[in-house]
Amino acid sequence: RIILRRGRMRRGARAESEGARPLVNASFDHGSLAGWKATGDAFATWQRPDGSWELTTYADPAGDAVTGTLSQTFTVPADASELRCILRGGSESIRLVHEGEIVRESRGPRTNDADRMVRWKIDDRRGEMLTIEIVDQSKEPWGFLTVRRIELVP
């Protein structure tokens, strides 16, 4: 880690530099996956009655049988304390990855009848580059995940 102090770098803290990347299109606005990298065929968006968008890995015509990963790399802002999102549906996962290591992971509630609020503390990751991944590796029943309202919270 590097500390920026009076124009000098010192070992021990994180640098927030010109390489910082914001988390973009975290609400899948207008049904778009812009800003996200997709592998596989598992991703579909739909608009909820309240006008918000969500992403699901239950995609027609194959339903549970589709698989893939949707990811985005971003820099944790200096004022971020939590990353929050809402999960519903099957047993697949959303996770945060730092330098190839999974540092946070949550799975769907395995029901479409109730939402699960995910709240990850990330204040210890400020200034770091993380990758958020929505992962569907299952072709089994309940092998999907629905995600909405990903947000960084101060």
Side-chain angles (χ1 to χ4, degrees):
R1 294 185 349 186
I2 299 170
I3 293 176
L4 291 175
R5 183 173 276 178
R6 293 191 184 128
R8 287 187 264 162
M9 292 189 163
R10 193 177 78 188
R11 295 177 65 179
R14 297 170 192 106
E16 290 190 42
S17 65
E18 62 261 6
R21 291 189 213 172
L23 182 60
V24 297
N25 193 26
S27 295
F28 310 106
D29 292 335
H30 309 291
S32 169
L33 298 181
W36 294 87
K37 178 183 175 187
T39 62
D41 54 358
F43 305 101
T45 57
W46 68 278
Q47 192 168 26
R48 298 171 48 82
D50 67 2
S52 66
W53 288 87
E54 64 184 15
L55 172 106
T56 185
T57 68
Y58 188 95
D60 288 333
D64 287 318
V66 295
T67 60
T69 301
L70 192 69
S71 63
Q72 183 177 156
T73 300
F74 68 99
T75 304
V76 177
D79 65 345
S81 294
E82 288 185 342
L83 187 144
R84 295 181 188 167
C85 66
I86 299 171
L87 305 181
R88 186 170 33 82
S91 58
E92 293 307 279
S93 71
I94 185 169
R95 58 192 180 196
L96 282 180
V97 178
H98 179 255
E99 297 179 351
E101 177 186 348
I102 298 170
V103 296
R104 308 278 189 283
E105 184 171 29
S106 294
R107 293 199 168 272
R110 211 173 153 98
T111 179
N112 287 320
D113 297 328
D115 292 338
R116 173 179 291 162
M117 173 62 89
V118 172
R119 299 173 92 158
W120 291 330
K121 298 295 279 176
I122 58 169
D123 52 343
D124 60 330
R125 299 284 176 178
R126 290 175 178 155
E128 291 182 1
M129 294 282 270
L130 299 179
T131 301
I132 188 168
E133 297 178 339
I134 299 167
V135 181
D136 183 338
Q137 299 175 331
S138 176
K139 294 183 178 192
E140 301 299 318
W142 290 103
F144 72 98
L145 183 67
T146 301
V147 181
R148 76 174 186 274
R149 214 170 76 204
I150 301 170
E151 59 186 343
L152 295 166
V153 180

